Amino acid sequence: RQYAGTAGLANNAELAKRQAEWAEEVKDWRAASASYLAAGDTLRAARVLGENGAAVQLAELVHSLPTSANEELVLCAAFLRKLGALDGARAAYAKLGDTAALVALAVEQGAWEEALELAASHPSHASLVYLPYADWLAVQDRFVEAQDAYRRAARPDKAVRMLEALAENATDEARFADAGYYLHLLALERLRA
C-alpha cells in the first residue's frame, strides 16, 4: 500500500481490489474477501466467502450489512441456506423483510411453532404453512389435527382422502370402533364442503 502512488494506482480502493484479485489467484479466500470488503465490494466478498463455505464469516457479514444491501443479503442468504447455517439465513431474510422465505425456512426446518406464528401474523402465507404441517401431523398419527390443518390450507379434499383411507384401513383390520369414528369424521367433513 505504501507504493500505491508509485505504481500508478489512483486510490486505496483500487489497490485493495487488486490485492483481492491476487489473493483469489493464489487461492487465499480469507485475504481475498477481506480485501474486497476493504475495497467496498461486498457482493464479491460475499461470493468468495460463500463459494469457500465460510458460513461464520457470511453470518458476520449479514449482521454488518445495512438493510438496503438487498443483492448482498439475498446472496448471503442463499449461501447460508446451502451451507446449512439456517440462523444466518434467517437473519438475512429478516433484514430483507422476506416473510415468504422465512416461512419456507421454518417449514423446511420443521419449526412448526415459528411457522404457525408467521402464518398467523401474515395470513397471505398461511397456505405455505398449513399443507406441509397437515402432512407432518398425519405422519405423526395426529389425524384430527391434520384434518383441521388441511381445512386451513384450503385442501378439504386431502382431509377427505385421509379419513377415507383411515376408515378403510380400520375396517380391513377389524377395528370397527375406529372405523365408525373415522366415518363419522368423514361425514362431518363432507357436510362442511
Side-chain angles (χ1 to χ4, degrees):
R1 290 182 191 195
Q2 71 188 49
Y3 301 111
T6 61
L9 299 175
N11 57 35
N12 284 340
E14 181 65 26
L15 176 63
K17 191 172 183 179
R18 288 192 182 190
Q19 284 177 328
E21 291 167 353
W22 174 80
E24 270 191 289
E25 286 178 24
V26 296
K27 308 285 189 239
D28 186 357
W29 61 267
R30 290 177 206 266
S33 66
S35 295
Y36 281 129
L37 285 173
D41 193 349
T42 53
L43 188 62
R44 210 145 165 207
R47 186 169 285 113
V48 167
L49 291 171
E51 289 171 353
N52 289 284
V56 173
Q57 291 87 346
L58 270 174
E60 290 170 359
L61 181 59
V62 164
H63 292 294
S64 70
L65 288 172
T67 55
S68 61
N70 288 347
E71 194 174 357
E72 291 88 345
L73 287 168
V74 167
L75 182 66
C76 287
F79 275 123
L80 288 164
R81 199 168 182 174
K82 181 180 175 186
L83 295 169
L86 302 179
D87 288 337
R90 184 178 291 108
Y93 291 136
K95 270 194 169 183
L96 287 165
D98 190 346
T99 307
L102 285 169
V103 167
L105 190 61
V107 167
E108 183 180 307
Q109 285 184 278
W112 298 116
E113 193 171 306
E114 178 186 350
L116 292 170
E117 285 175 13
L118 286 166
S121 61
H122 300 89
S124 62
H125 299 300
S127 62
L128 298 174
V129 175
Y130 283 110
L131 187 57
Y133 181 56
D135 291 339
W136 179 81
L137 288 169
V139 169
Q140 301 299 315
D141 295 336
R142 295 167 58 184
F143 302 115
V144 175
E145 292 169 89
Q147 177 188 7
D148 181 53
Y150 281 129
R151 210 175 310 112
R152 288 176 182 237
R155 292 299 306 270
D157 59 308
K158 289 195 79 154
V160 166
R161 267 187 284 165
M162 177 189 68
L163 292 171
E164 287 172 343
L166 288 169
E168 185 177 333
N169 289 342
T171 303
D172 292 346
E173 296 170 5
R175 294 182 294 116
F176 299 115
D178 289 342
Y181 175 69
Y182 294 130
L183 288 169
H184 173 75
L185 291 178
L186 181 60
L188 292 174
E189 188 66 41
R190 291 209 186 262
L191 282 174
R192 285 188 188 105

